Amino acid sequence: MLLSKLFLPVTKNLPSDAKIKSHQLMLRAGMIKQSSAGIYSWLPLGLKIMKKIEQIVREEQNEIGAQELLMPTVQSADIWKESGRYNDYGEEMLRIKDRQGREMLYGPTNEELITDIFRTSIKSYKSLPQMLYHIQWKFRDEIRPRFGVMRCREFFMKDAYSFDIDDESAKNSYNKMFFSYLKTFKRLGLEAIPMAADTGPIGGDLSHEFIILAETGESKIYTDKKIFEIKLKNYSLNDTSLEKMIKDFSSVYAVTDDKFKKDEFDQKVSKENQMVTKGIEVGHIFYFGDKYSKPLNCFVDSKGGKKTAVKMGSYGIGVSRLVGAIIEAKYNNEIMKWPRSVSPFDVVIIPSFSKNNKENLTKSMKIYEDLKKQNIDVLLDDVDESMSQKFKKHDLIGIPYQIIVGSKSTSDKFEFKEINSESSFIDLKEIKSKLIS
Ligand code: 5CA
């Protein structure tokens, strides 16, 4: 892609409510545009990054056997009345009437809808376990939408739902999802800490939030530093290993605000190991047994023929929130660097040229074509600006690798730089191997 053709409305004008880095940066880099409070349009650069995150989330869900479907954003109020949550959900739910006067709503989450799909299709324990997920827009009429994409009213979420015949099998589904979340966040270049959490309006008695440490986070967390010693690589996707993983995590004190008790913290964690800090909740998983299946009449025949309420869990990842969370975790000294897995482009070529001397631009065009042939997603900065302006812009956009074609490059060696570190002069073959590795 040529930078001159990219719709990238970079701006210096920031609204006064853009208080945290990710919000400021996403507006400055032309990734999003606010359309009303807590509702954003995703512009090409922002959308490209979010789509990459979405794809990683999808691949990791598929990896544990979850199947993708797509449910609508607008739901009928009827099933919410059946589950008893229609009144309980309160003002966060956006309620709408259609032209026939029927009560509808914009889905804040999908436990009811998925249970309805399930109860009409699955009748026997033989079809269990099942895991279904979708990646869809949600709407919650948050009282105070803020921090850009972090706390929006409309946001993009992956929500998965598991269906099992008994508690034991359901816990296994929960454990698989737990493992999958750690893997997903790792691929996104993040270290997420699982924390025992409150279940809020979703309900149930077992729940974990996955938190990225960040000063600007809204969640207060209390943990034993030992949690950082538990490494994902020591576990695998088999039942015994997953049980051990949950046991290891559960044996270390790590809770969010709602679960915090000072006496317990002091008793279980030595003073030097106590860590009290803030974080961003990027995922949240729940096990709630038959909380929805019972009122919604979602029963299957068990082995002995007895009708049994299906045991369910639900599992969310804030896909749009993750774009902001990655920025909060990676932004450093006015420079952004996207993890390679979600970067909007693999590399940017930055030639130094002027109206009268376009030699470096021509050279860059050749490199550009060559890299494209190798399926490397490359951006060429063909805009006639000073090099310092260009560098500022690319520090903002955060593509992790730069090829700088300027006075220091020779006919076959170019300046290659990983953003935020020293550059080296190497030939195209070596550049390609670094980008493909
Ligand atoms: N049904 C369950 C799990 S599927 C559920 O809705 N869980 S949740 O309420 O915790 O939301 C899941 C994830 O969505 C959160 O961990 C968070 O990352 C993201 N999220 C929740 N509310 C917002 C919001 N207002 N703005 C942006 N992301 C949000």
Side-chain angles (χ1 to χ4, degrees):
M1 177 107 214
L2 298 178
L3 185 61
S4 60
K5 299 273 188 296
L6 181 65
F7 184 80
L8 186 74
V10 172
T11 176
K12 286 198 177 109
N13 300 327
L14 290 177
S16 58
D17 69 341
K19 295 217 163 52
I20 65 168
K21 260 290 170 242
S22 56
H23 190 188
Q24 294 168 355
L25 192 77
M26 288 180 79
L27 293 168
R28 276 178 57 208
M31 290 169 64
I32 49 168
K33 182 173 183 323
Q34 184 171 329
S35 76
S36 54
I39 304 180
Y40 290 87
S41 296
W42 287 76
L43 307 184
L45 188 76
L47 185 64
K48 201 168 178 197
I49 295 165
M50 186 161 76
K51 288 278 162 199
K52 288 201 164 182
I53 297 174
E54 178 188 354
Q55 185 53 23
I56 290 176
V57 170
R58 175 176 289 117
E59 285 168 16
E60 292 302 327
Q61 290 293 289
N62 294 345
E63 183 71 22
I64 56 163
Q67 295 166 62
E68 185 168 9
L69 47 66
L70 187 59
M71 290 175 270
T73 51
V74 175
Q75 305 179 16
S76 159
D78 293 348
I79 37 168
W80 286 74
K81 287 182 182 162
E82 253 188 84
S83 75
R85 269 210 298 184
Y86 191 57
N87 289 330
D88 295 352
Y89 216 93
E91 293 197 301
E92 260 190 30
M93 182 185 275
L94 180 64
R95 293 155 209 256
I96 322 160
K97 275 205 176 131
D98 71 8
R99 61 166 70 190
Q100 320 285 357
R102 279 185 293 245
E103 289 173 291
M104 312 292 286
L105 55 100
Y106 194 122
T109 176
N110 280 57
E111 280 79 8
E112 283 75 1
L113 203 51
I114 196 85
T115 311
D116 181 49
I117 293 172
F118 198 86
R119 69 180 174 182
T120 50
S121 339
I122 302 290
K123 302 287 177 206
S124 161
Y125 75 96
K126 288 183 192 152
S127 308
L128 299 181
Q130 288 276 349
M131 277 193 217
L132 299 167
Y133 73 97
H134 77 160
I135 307 178
Q136 179 61 293
W137 292 96
K138 301 286 184 296
F139 195 96
R140 294 181 188 170
D141 205 352
E142 298 275 352
I143 189 158
R144 251 187 346 133
R146 60 198 166 132
F147 300 150
V149 301
M150 296 291 208
R151 185 157 298 278
C152 293
R153 294 199 297 161
E154 189 183 45
F155 59 97
F156 203 42
M157 191 213 277
K158 184 284 299 179
D159 41 328
Y161 303 87
S162 62
F163 302 86
D164 286 86
I165 191 68
D166 54 29
D167 271 329
E168 196 190 334
S169 161
K171 293 263 162 67
N172 189 242
S173 299
Y174 186 93
N175 296 353
K176 274 190 187 158
M177 219 25 111
F178 192 108
F179 178 78
S180 162
Y181 272 37
L182 291 174
K183 240 178 113 202
T184 305
F185 297 126
K186 198 166 182 180
R187 277 186 70 188
L188 297 173
L190 298 170
E191 184 168 19
I193 315 173
M195 304 255 160
D198 211 31
T199 53
I202 309 290
D205 52 15
L206 173 64
S207 173
H208 284 90
E209 283 181 16
F210 290 77
I211 305 266
I212 303 299
L213 298 187
E215 272 309 305
T216 46
E218 288 188 278
S219 311
K220 197 158 184 199
I221 56 171
Y222 302 82
T223 183
D224 186 332
K225 287 180 192 157
K226 278 195 200 136
I227 197 122
F228 299 104
E229 292 163 19
I230 307 176
K231 299 288 174 208
L232 179 63
K233 65 174 180 352
N234 296 330
Y235 308 99
S236 60
L237 203 56
N238 71 58
D239 298 0
T240 332
S241 177
L242 292 177
E243 265 165 38
K244 179 158 187 332
M245 172 193 70
I246 294 283
K247 214 167 142 212
D248 292 348
F249 274 109
S250 310
S251 69
V252 177
Y253 192 91
V255 302
T256 55
D257 222 358
D258 324 306
K259 288 232 159 191
F260 176 68
K261 287 193 189 82
K262 189 164 180 345
D263 299 348
E264 199 186 6
F265 192 41
D266 287 338
Q267 198 189 358
K268 290 190 173 161
V269 188
S270 67
K271 271 272 173 278
E272 64 273 18
N273 263 9
Q274 289 187 357
M275 187 168 158
V276 181
T277 183
K278 283 188 172 164
I280 303 165
E281 178 203 318
V282 286
H284 199 162
I285 61 178
F286 303 82
Y287 177 56
F288 42 73
D290 53 19
K291 174 174 176 192
Y292 298 92
S293 54
K294 263 201 174 146
L296 288 167
N297 219 357
C298 180
F299 286 79
V300 293
D301 290 330
S302 64
K303 219 171 187 169
K306 202 172 147 234
K307 295 252 178 268
T308 310
V310 169
K311 301 283 192 286
M312 289 175 60
S314 76
Y315 314 88
I317 290 185
V319 176
S320 50
R321 178 180 284 185
L322 268 165
V323 181
I326 293 174
I327 295 175
E328 292 297 330
K330 305 286 171 192
Y331 197 75
N332 191 4
N333 280 335
E334 297 302 304
I335 295 178
M336 179 59 208
K337 183 182 173 188
W338 289 104
R340 278 176 81 163
S341 57
V342 300
S343 172
F345 294 93
D346 297 324
V347 61
V348 54
I349 308 173
I350 313 175
S352 144
F353 67 96
S354 65
K355 263 197 198 91
N356 304 325
N357 183 353
K358 295 196 171 166
E359 200 184 315
N360 285 334
L361 181 59
T362 313
K363 247 196 231 174
S364 297
M365 271 297 190
K366 283 200 187 120
I367 305 175
Y368 174 70
E369 292 302 335
D370 195 339
L371 294 180
K372 273 206 316 187
K373 271 191 213 133
Q374 308 280 316
N375 277 333
I376 292 170
D377 192 7
V378 49
L379 181 70
L380 169 57
D381 187 345
D382 59 339
V383 180
D384 183 8
E385 274 178 332
S386 73
M387 284 306 260
S388 70
Q389 275 172 309
K390 280 177 195 262
F391 287 133
K392 254 198 203 133
K393 189 181 285 177
H394 293 294
D395 282 349
L396 179 67
I397 301 174
I399 300 166
Y401 296 106
Q402 303 179 338
I403 302 169
I404 301 154
V405 184
S407 54
K408 288 192 223 149
S409 55
T410 63
S411 60
D412 64 343
K413 296 237 161 142
F414 308 98
E415 187 176 355
F416 183 75
K417 188 170 184 305
E418 184 167 352
I419 211 166
N420 243 345
S421 43
E422 294 296 305
S423 56
S424 56
F425 286 82
I426 52 179
D427 64 19
L428 206 52
K429 199 169 154 217
E430 217 176 318
I431 290 179
K432 278 188 222 166
S433 76
K434 277 189 191 278
L435 292 174
I436 292 167
S437 69

